[in-house]
Amino acid sequence: MAVTSQVYEGYSVINGKQHDGEATTIHNPSNTADRVGILHDVSSHVVEEATEVAKRAQQEWASLSGLKKGATLENMAVKLEENKEDIATLASSEMGKPIKEMKGEVARGIQLLRYYAAEGSRSDGDVIPATDPQVHQYSKRVPLGVVGVITPWNFPVAIPIWKMAPALICGNAIVWKPAKQAALTASKLMNVFQEVLPSGLINMLIGSGRQVGNTLLEKANIDALSFTGSTETGMHAAAICASRNIKYQTEMGGKNVAVVLEDADLDKAVSAILSGAFTSAGQKCTASSRIVADKKIMPALKDKLKTAVAGLRVGEALDEQAFLGPVSSKDQYEKINGYVSLAKKEANVVAEAQTIASDYEGYYIHPLIVDGVDANHTLAQEEVFGPFAVLLEAEDFDEAIEIANHTDYGLSASIFTNDLNRSHQFLERSEAGMVRVNLETAGVEFQAPFGGMKMSSSHTREQGQAALEFYSETKTCAIKHG
Ligand code: NAP
């Protein structure tokens, strides 16, 4: 099942033209013997050219009406819809996300394009009364110019689109550096969008973060940067942007918590926790990687987790029945297995899946939940970014909140309870950008603000209306008449 029928060639695109470069073969994480494609890396020398091209394209694009821009985004949505199966299959084969999830992600990309297409026909400012009645005073959003977009591999379609769609509708052009681990998908997306986009409006560069990404940060003539990735890289990007006075947003790592109180419906909680912890093989910034439970229900919860995890299907990414696929790469496999070895040495296994439904050699990791470590332990503090969660016990509700907030990160947090007062208290006291009751930590909708507190974000928000604030700046205008 894991064998990909064709080998896809991935190229950078500048001004609508493909750029050749040093070739690397990309293998399928579901079957490492299978070649998915060949990537052609450009060198950092082309970053300047891409930015200049974008500058020119931006001027023409910004002069179009909002309705015209919106029509282009709608055409992008149509193209994505026409190619949804191919894009989902390529992405699953490239980075291992199960095809069912990948199709859902492409569907989200289409929704995002349509949501921001509609913004082209909405108000982009306010009329503000002036002290002099003969002065007409108003504020309006204006474009930033060229936006640098740096994206991770774990949402290869939705994240680039949730940055690029609002950037475009606000009148900006884009230089996009996707993660190399998802660059075949990026190249396919570019090919699809090129059919309806003006040349040079989105320029996409395939190359390493350290070279091409860093050049974009340090040297390119960009007016803003939107970054999603690890906290380490995000802090580096933020420091450079601050030193150049470039507007930036960074969405970064998480160590998200699912709290289970004694009155929770345990079956529903377990089902949401497993989805939050193990879909995408735990490689979501919003994945549940800590479970905090009231000690009164701990034995019952452990029993249910043990049974449920044992029944999870770990399979090839193109297996429609797979609950989770392999992790995305050799680096990910080695890094996560480092945490698994630490857990097997210093913690107790609560639940572990036993079988892998594939005959191929791939980067498969058995989902694992452990306990027996305290809230300060590395396993309870560091982002594992794999199918792994740690279970922590709380004496009571107050201690559960204390443990939940005991992390440098603050992306998302969930609680499972039927107690309305405690639900409200958790929503108020939780130090996370996205707080949910009786819902998994992942899965925030595209029309709502998305982002984290503490070390998870630059305290900006993406998606929904919040994105429009980032991709524009406000001009206040006044004209005296009469
Ligand atoms: P990463 O290693 O930080 O990489 C993110 C992007 O930055 C990639 O395109 C990477 O390029 C590039 N990059 C690396 N070093 C760079 C540098 N020195 N200068 C400029 N760009 C550089 O993160 P990742 O492994 O791709 O993604 C996983 C992380 O993303 C996790 O921490 C996860 O929590 C976080 N994430 C956060 C959110 C959110 O919304 N908060 C969403 C998804 C993921 P190359 O990889 O090609 O070298």
Side-chain angles (χ1 to χ4, degrees):
M1 183 181 297
V3 175
T4 320
S5 53
Q6 90 195 79
V7 172
Y8 192 82
E9 300 260 348
Y11 294 97
S12 301
V13 177
I14 301 173
N15 207 15
K17 294 191 192 73
Q18 293 190 335
H19 270 241
D20 214 342
E22 197 182 323
T24 328
T25 302
I26 304 301
H27 293 270
N28 185 340
S30 297
N31 170 10
T32 50
D34 176 33
R35 286 191 322 150
V36 184
I38 296 170
L39 276 185
H40 297 267
D41 277 27
V42 288
S43 81
S44 39
H45 294 114
V46 302
V47 175
E48 193 184 332
E49 180 191 341
T51 319
E52 289 316 313
V53 161
K55 285 262 175 230
R56 289 197 293 276
Q58 191 265 334
Q59 299 194 342
E60 197 161 328
W61 175 248
S63 72
L64 299 179
S65 69
L67 291 163
K68 271 232 154 106
K69 293 189 198 93
T72 300
L73 265 69
E74 172 60 30
N75 290 338
M76 290 169 76
V78 169
K79 284 285 148 200
L80 188 54
E81 199 152 36
E82 283 170 12
N83 291 276
K84 62 186 178 191
E85 295 287 330
D86 285 358
I87 290 173
T89 303
L90 178 63
S92 287
S93 307
E94 180 178 29
M95 46 67 77
K97 184 178 288 193
I99 187 72
K100 227 160 98 183
E101 275 188 77
M102 209 44 245
K103 285 181 186 169
E105 188 182 328
V106 176
R108 171 172 279 215
I110 296 165
Q111 288 173 315
L112 280 156
L113 284 163
R114 296 215 155 110
Y115 177 87
Y116 288 110
E119 289 304 320
S121 55
R122 298 220 169 90
S123 157
D124 64 357
D126 295 307
V127 176
I128 303 141
T131 43
D132 179 345
Q134 288 191 320
V135 169
H136 174 54
Q137 176 171 258
Y138 62 97
S139 67
K140 60 180 291 197
R141 279 202 304 267
V142 296
L144 301 170
V146 175
V147 180
V149 167
I150 300 183
T151 52
W153 46 266
N154 67 329
F155 281 88
V157 173
I159 290 182
I161 292 178
W162 86 44
K163 293 179 185 300
M164 295 196 288
L168 289 177
I169 203 67
C170 287
N172 303 289
I174 291 159
V175 178
W176 172 28
K177 210 306 278 172
K180 270 197 75 177
Q181 271 181 52
L184 290 173
T185 307
S187 168
K188 174 84 185 164
L189 277 178
M190 283 302 290
N191 288 346
V192 165
F193 290 153
Q194 281 306 115
E195 291 179 39
V196 294
L197 274 182
S199 292
L201 194 59
I202 302 180
N203 303 280
M204 188 275 289
L205 304 175
I206 297 176
S208 82
R210 282 179 194 286
Q211 289 168 6
V212 172
N214 217 48
T215 306
L216 187 61
L217 295 176
E218 286 189 337
K219 305 223 168 80
N221 190 10
I222 53 173
D223 301 289
L225 174 84
S226 180
F227 168 91
T228 297
S230 63
T231 296
E232 191 188 354
T233 314
M235 296 289 287
H236 165 77
I240 296 173
C241 289
S243 73
R244 299 181 65 196
N245 196 26
I246 288 171
K247 187 176 187 183
Y248 66 88
Q249 68 176 184
T250 53
E251 284 306 328
M252 307 181 281
K255 187 73 184 171
N256 313 293
V257 70
V259 174
V260 189
L261 297 187
E262 78 255 36
D263 69 317
D265 177 326
L266 284 193
D267 290 320
K268 286 186 183 155
V270 165
S271 157
I273 287 169
L274 295 197
S275 176
F278 298 135
T279 53
S280 291
Q283 301 167 115
K284 288 182 187 170
C285 52
T286 48
S288 314
S289 58
R290 295 178 300 143
I291 307 160
V292 177
D294 188 297
K295 70 173 187 187
K296 293 187 264 318
I297 43 118
M298 194 53 112
L301 179 65
K302 278 194 197 178
D303 277 354
K304 285 185 187 290
L305 286 171
K306 190 172 176 169
T307 312
V309 174
L312 292 181
R313 184 176 172 91
V314 185
E316 294 154 27
L318 296 184
D319 174 354
E320 291 273 357
Q321 303 309 318
F323 191 81
L324 63 149
V327 298
S328 66
S329 66
K330 186 160 182 270
D331 284 355
Q332 271 290 97
Y333 183 74
E334 288 171 356
K335 193 188 103 191
I336 297 161
N337 272 327
Y339 285 108
V340 169
S341 303
L342 180 69
K344 295 269 167 92
K345 220 163 37 186
E346 297 187 10
N348 307 317
V349 172
V350 170
E352 186 171 18
Q354 296 305 323
T355 50
I356 306 288
S358 171
D359 296 330
Y360 297 113
E361 285 282 319
Y363 300 127
Y364 299 103
I365 295 183
H366 300 271
L368 177 65
I369 299 176
V370 300
D371 71 353
V373 293
D374 73 20
N376 292 314
H377 194 278
T378 306
L379 297 170
Q381 287 295 322
E382 292 185 8
E383 184 184 42
V384 175
F385 217 56
F388 176 86
V390 61
L391 182 59
L392 302 161
E393 186 172 286
E395 281 292 319
D396 53 25
F397 176 59
D398 283 326
E399 194 185 43
I401 294 193
E402 204 177 300
I403 298 172
N405 286 337
H406 184 63
T407 162
D408 290 339
Y409 294 108
L411 192 53
S412 70
S414 286
I415 193 164
F416 295 89
T417 179
N418 288 312
D419 182 326
L420 192 57
N421 279 335
R422 286 181 163 173
S423 300
H424 273 292
Q425 283 187 50
F426 186 75
L427 292 164
E428 289 301 314
R429 289 163 65 186
S430 187
E431 295 166 2
M434 294 169 294
V435 193
R436 299 156 69 78
V437 177
N438 296 326
L439 287 165
E440 64 174 270
T441 51
V444 179
E445 297 187 22
F446 67 89
Q447 69 277 33
F450 181 100
M453 292 180 175
K454 299 183 345 190
M455 295 302 282
S456 290
S457 153
S458 54
H459 317 287
T460 42
R461 292 291 179 268
E462 302 201 86
Q463 302 198 85
Q465 296 295 296
L468 303 174
E469 293 301 320
F470 177 74
Y471 290 106
S472 62
E473 58 190 326
T474 300
K475 188 178 267 188
T476 303
C477 306
I479 180 165
K480 176 134 179 157
H481 54 83

